Amino acid sequence: MSTGNRYSKEFKEDAIRLVKEEGRSSISVAKDLGVNPQTLRNWLKEYTDSQDPQKTRIAELEAELREKKKRIADLEMTNDILKKAAAIFVKDNQK
């Protein structure tokens, strides 16, 4: 499994600079650097998204929403377990 750290930050920035500032095609840069063209396109997208504060904020909010949904699901599961346990105790006390 890849850890995503195969290329240094500087290497990625240089590759992005070749495309953005020198106007070279991503395929040409990827070929010259020995990088998969899709990988370079992913770096370019991440760079573009990081330059847009609105997209950055949206990504932060989406991450927060995922976290909150997980927390809600955990709390609902805990609540269901407690309800079942309470029902068992009530049933045992009525005998």
Side-chain angles (χ1 to χ4, degrees), residues 6 16 18 25 39 42-43 45 50 52 56 58 65 69 79 85 94-95:
R6 182 174 173 190
I16 291 167
L18 289 171
S25 73
T39 301
N42 291 344
W43 297 345
K45 182 178 180 340
S50 72
D52 184 350
T56 302
I58 289 170
L65 179 60
K69 284 183 176 183
N79 194 26
Q94 290 178 353
K95 291 183 182 179

Side-chain angles (χ1 to χ4, degrees), residues 21-92:
E21 293 177 10
E22 295 187 13
R24 295 182 54 194
S25 73
S26 59
I27 293 174
S28 168
V29 171
K31 184 177 179 182
D32 289 349
L33 296 176
V35 175
N36 184 306
Q38 184 58 50
T39 301
L40 180 54
R41 283 191 292 273
N42 291 344
W43 297 345
L44 288 164
K45 182 178 180 340
E46 288 172 11
Y47 171 80
T48 303
D49 289 350
S50 72
Q51 299 302 306
D52 184 350
Q54 185 175 8
K55 285 186 179 181
T56 302
R57 181 64 180 145
I58 289 170
E60 290 171 355
L61 290 172
E62 287 173 343
E64 183 180 345
L65 179 60
R66 279 190 303 276
E67 180 182 315
K68 300 294 183 189
K69 284 183 176 183
K70 184 181 182 308
R71 176 82 172 131
I72 289 169
D74 289 344
L75 289 172
E76 287 175 342
M77 184 176 66
T78 301
N79 194 26
D80 289 342
I81 291 169
L82 291 173
K83 284 180 183 178
K84 291 175 184 176
I88 291 171
F89 287 125
V90 168
K91 188 190 290 185
D92 286 346

